[in-house]
Amino acid sequence: MPSAITYMNNLETFDAEGYVKMIKEAGFKRLVVTAKHHDGFCIWNSESTDYDMGSTTSQIDILAELSKACSTYDLDMGLYLSPWDIHEPSYGNKDGNPDNYNDFYDGQLREILGDPKYGNKGKFVEVWMDGAKGTGADAQNYNFERFATTIKELEGDECALFQCGLQSEVRWVGNENGLAGDTAWNRVEMNPNWDSSSAEVPWNKNIQNDPTVGAEVSVGSPTGGKWIMPEADARITAGWFWHNNMKTPKTLTELSNMYFNSVGHGAPLLLNVPPNDTGTVDPEIKQRTLDFGDNVEKTFTQDLTREGEGRTAATAKASSAWENDPAYGPGKVLDGKDETYWSAKDATGTQSLLIEFPEERTFNVVSFEEAIQNGQHIKNFAVSYRDAGGQWVEYGKGGTVGAKRLVRGSNVTASAIKIDLSTLDGKVAQISEVGVFKSTKAFEKPMPVPEGMEILDNAKCRPAAGGTRRKTPASSTAPACGPARPAQPRPSSSMAPSSCSWARSTPTTATPRSRSTAKSRSRSTPVPASAPRASRSSPPTPSRRAPTPSKSRSWAVTREPLASTPPPI
């Protein structure tokens, strides 16, 4: 296999501006650049090694070019710098001095983080160290404490550390499919016997198979001793790197599933979008990336709880409020401010929020967020909607909420929604925001029975001669089962016709499929919802709130007095 230098000698140009412009237009909030992977090749002109872009024919400093473009478009940057380096001779204990490689790696951190030409206007907001150890792993003992000190010294405390030993602030979600679990706690149980020479992380990953997302996930612990948030990484193609035979992008259905099961489960989505071997992005990958971002934006642009486009704003009520204080009343979940929130009166029983619309509205996504600056308290929830007959119908239920929970179901029309919340023992339910949305067609939840089809129940079929049920050909206009009724799926469960049912299709307008193709290594991070940060569990005292990243939204403010119990304030 040719070396990376031989391969990169073929690179004549690199369109950093075109790449960053695409990422920005797609709505991504951060670009995490793989400056060095496990093979040790550096995509910048490094003074620490000759296994770098400075030793290639073009001598293009790819990291500098991307940094310049990110500064132009004001896109946050993260740095992926693999500690495992199979090329560097000092890795491990071959020369009897395990500290040599720590000096080398710390030097590379300082090369990049200490140089103002790297980063968005010289700043990085996250450093990814990955979790891999390979050749010499038994001998190489990473000095994570030293690395963390260097990063915080050069970038400040706001720079998040991905899997940096005991100093970690962000962790792997447990799979590489962009899927966080239905239950995803930001806290983890630390291992008091952890040895820094171990290839394992110093916390219990608590990896469990989650059938609701179809993947193994890192669940975390509600009572863990340290806040280390999960981040969901995934690929837009079949692999992490671009290859000519693996360059077909995932479908919008697959990408929407990632989004709703990562951001929608309280974890940022980190999506790998690879440039090709000519320094550009394949047209199919570029278009899919833009289509993905466009569908996210269009799905969440119109919040149906807010005033606009002829709508009157919804109103909010709650089962209780903290000390009957309007500062923690239910109207706070509709004011568009992350720093304000509704807080239940106490930790007793199930607490509920009621969002009422002035008239019936059709939607398929319900969004709600914990006051994550006070910690993570909610262990499970249930969302219901009030139908035309005034009956409450379950729309979805699940585990934790965290920074954001998205409940996606079939299209329903309702006059109100209700969110029931159960918390950890002694913890109070606190919600900062609630939203209701109608997604784009491409982001609709896949349903077993497509929209426009009718379900005919053979339980009402009239028997044919001999006592057996008689089927009517699909071409018939009057089926033997009696009058056809429109499909009314319960959105919280999968809907498949029973063994005695059949469906008749009504023609609908076909939605054009997105085009396909792509692959390489350069990562971008959409966090259009919110990224949970280390916080404390505490009563709703404003002075004790920890900082929380902003959520990119602008909403009209609307407030409603408390419900009749407790009395209006």
Side-chain angles (χ1 to χ4, degrees):
M1 177 181 292
S3 70
I5 287 183
T6 302
Y7 182 83
M8 296 301 285
N9 277 338
N10 297 318
L11 184 70
E12 298 178 355
T13 61
F14 183 77
D15 185 12
E17 182 174 356
Y19 183 88
V20 172
K21 182 174 184 287
M22 171 193 70
I23 295 301
K24 184 74 173 183
E25 288 180 352
F28 290 84
K29 306 302 180 188
R30 181 179 307 171
L31 176 63
V32 178
V33 179
T34 306
K36 183 184 77 169
H37 204 253
H38 308 325
D39 71 319
F41 184 79
C42 302
I43 68 166
W44 76 99
N45 297 341
S46 175
E47 295 180 1
S48 62
T49 179
D50 58 3
Y51 199 52
D52 68 338
M53 283 302 300
S55 301
T56 65
T57 304
S58 69
Q59 297 187 339
I60 299 170
D61 190 327
I62 295 174
L63 182 59
E65 294 296 313
L66 287 169
S67 297
K68 180 180 178 181
C70 285
S71 298
T72 299
Y73 289 95
D74 194 22
L75 185 67
D76 281 347
M77 288 190 73
L79 173 68
Y80 178 116
L81 193 70
S82 169
W84 180 22
D85 188 330
I86 62 176
H87 180 269
E88 172 54 34
S90 65
Y91 186 91
N93 194 25
K94 304 180 189 71
D95 59 359
N97 185 353
D99 289 333
N100 283 357
Y101 181 76
N102 287 324
D103 293 340
F104 175 84
Y105 186 81
D106 188 74
Q108 289 194 322
L109 284 173
R110 291 184 177 277
E111 256 188 54
I112 296 171
L113 303 181
D115 192 328
K117 73 181 176 184
Y118 297 125
N120 174 15
K121 301 179 179 67
K123 298 299 290 183
F124 289 90
V125 298
E126 182 178 8
V127 174
W128 245 72
M129 295 192 183
D130 215 331
K133 276 193 175 185
T135 304
D138 292 336
Q140 183 58 54
N141 186 348
Y142 297 138
N143 192 337
F144 285 121
E145 184 175 2
R146 177 183 178 183
F147 303 157
T149 298
T150 295
I151 294 165
K152 297 296 185 179
E153 171 196 329
L154 298 173
E155 299 298 335
D157 290 339
E158 298 80 12
C159 185
L161 305 180
F162 181 92
Q163 301 206 170
C164 183
L166 292 171
Q167 289 71 39
S168 299
E169 296 165 319
V170 187
R171 75 181 195 266
W172 183 50
V173 78
N175 61 77
E176 294 184 335
N177 300 316
L179 304 172
D182 178 57
T183 294
W185 297 103
N186 285 278
R187 290 190 175 277
V188 292
E189 295 286 354
M190 302 302 290
N191 178 4
N193 299 316
W194 180 71
D195 184 342
S196 61
S197 65
S198 169
E200 288 297 321
V201 294
W203 59 86
N204 178 7
K205 289 184 283 189
N206 194 11
I207 301 290
Q208 298 180 19
N209 183 60
D210 188 339
T212 65
V213 299
E216 288 190 336
V217 297
S218 173
V219 175
S221 169
T223 58
K226 185 163 184 180
W227 185 285
I228 305 179
M229 57 176 273
E231 190 172 69
D233 59 325
R235 301 148 290 181
I236 199 168
T237 60
W240 291 109
F241 299 89
W242 184 92
H243 291 287
N244 195 45
N245 62 345
M246 283 197 300
K247 58 184 183 180
T248 301
K250 291 179 169 65
T251 66
L252 282 176
T253 296
E254 291 173 307
L255 292 173
S256 72
N257 186 57
M258 281 184 196
Y259 185 86
F260 281 95
N261 288 305
S262 56
V263 174
H265 285 180
L269 173 62
L270 184 62
L271 184 65
N272 187 70
V273 181
N276 59 29
D277 57 356
T278 64
T280 62
V281 178
D282 284 4
E284 294 84 359
I285 295 179
K286 178 179 179 179
Q287 190 59 52
R288 189 59 47 81
T289 302
L290 293 172
D291 288 345
F292 175 48
D294 183 59
N295 277 274
V296 171
E297 180 182 6
K298 288 179 178 176
T299 291
F300 295 102
T301 294
Q302 294 293 328
D303 185 344
L304 300 178
T305 69
R306 312 303 157 106
E307 188 176 25
E309 294 192 355
R311 291 190 308 271
T312 302
T315 56
K317 297 179 180 179
S319 53
S320 70
W322 180 266
E323 296 182 351
N324 292 342
D325 187 344
Y328 302 105
K332 299 299 182 182
V333 305
L334 299 179
D335 68 3
K337 299 177 181 178
D338 296 328
E339 65 272 18
T340 64
Y341 55 91
W342 160 76
S343 178
K345 180 179 181 179
D346 52 39
T348 304
T350 299
Q351 297 289 334
S352 301
L353 275 170
L354 176 67
I355 309 298
E356 293 186 300
F357 307 121
E359 70 288 319
E360 290 187 334
R361 292 176 186 177
T362 300
F363 60 88
N364 56 18
V365 177
V366 176
S367 170
F368 48 105
E369 304 165 7
E370 274 193 80
I372 200 69
Q373 63 268 36
N374 293 337
Q376 193 176 5
H377 301 167
I378 298 167
K379 63 181 181 180
N380 53 62
F381 69 87
V383 177
S384 305
Y385 67 93
R386 189 167 61 201
D387 66 14
Q391 299 298 309
W392 286 103
V393 181
E394 185 179 282
Y395 192 65
K397 60 183 179 181
T400 53
V401 176
K404 180 177 282 291
R405 187 71 191 218
L406 297 175
V407 179
R408 180 173 61 153
S410 61
N411 295 327
V412 296
T413 300
S415 59
I417 64 166
K418 181 163 63 81
I419 305 173
D420 295 321
L421 305 164
S422 297
T423 60
L424 300 169
D425 290 344
K427 300 298 183 182
V428 178
Q430 298 173 347
I431 296 293
S432 65
E433 291 296 315
V434 174
V436 175
F437 304 90
K438 176 69 171 65
S439 77
T440 61
K441 189 75 175 177
F443 264 38
E444 287 183 354
K445 185 175 183 177
M447 291 293 173
V449 177
E451 187 177 350
M453 298 193 77
E454 297 171 336
I455 298 196
L456 306 176
D457 191 348
N458 263 6
K460 298 181 180 179
C461 291
R462 55 181 188 270
T468 58
R469 296 191 185 277
R470 177 168 57 87
K471 292 183 179 179
T472 302
S475 59
S476 299
T477 56
C481 296
R485 54 187 175 85
Q488 294 289 340
R490 281 186 174 261
S492 61
S493 60
S494 61
M495 191 190 74
S498 68
S499 57
C500 290
S501 300
W502 64 282
R504 181 160 59 88
S505 176
T506 301
T508 57
T509 303
T511 302
R513 285 190 157 184
S514 302
R515 295 177 300 211
S516 307
T517 336
K519 189 162 171 270
S520 175
R521 184 124 174 147
S522 186
R523 296 183 171 186
S524 49
T525 311
V527 195
S530 67
R533 295 293 299 242
S535 63
R536 67 184 79 203
S537 298
S538 63
T541 306
S543 62
R544 298 182 67 187
R545 295 182 190 136
T548 305
S550 62
K551 305 174 179 93
S552 53
R553 293 179 301 216
S554 178
W555 285 329
V557 175
T558 178
R559 292 188 178 130
E560 179 70 8
L562 296 175
S564 57
T565 305
I569 296 174

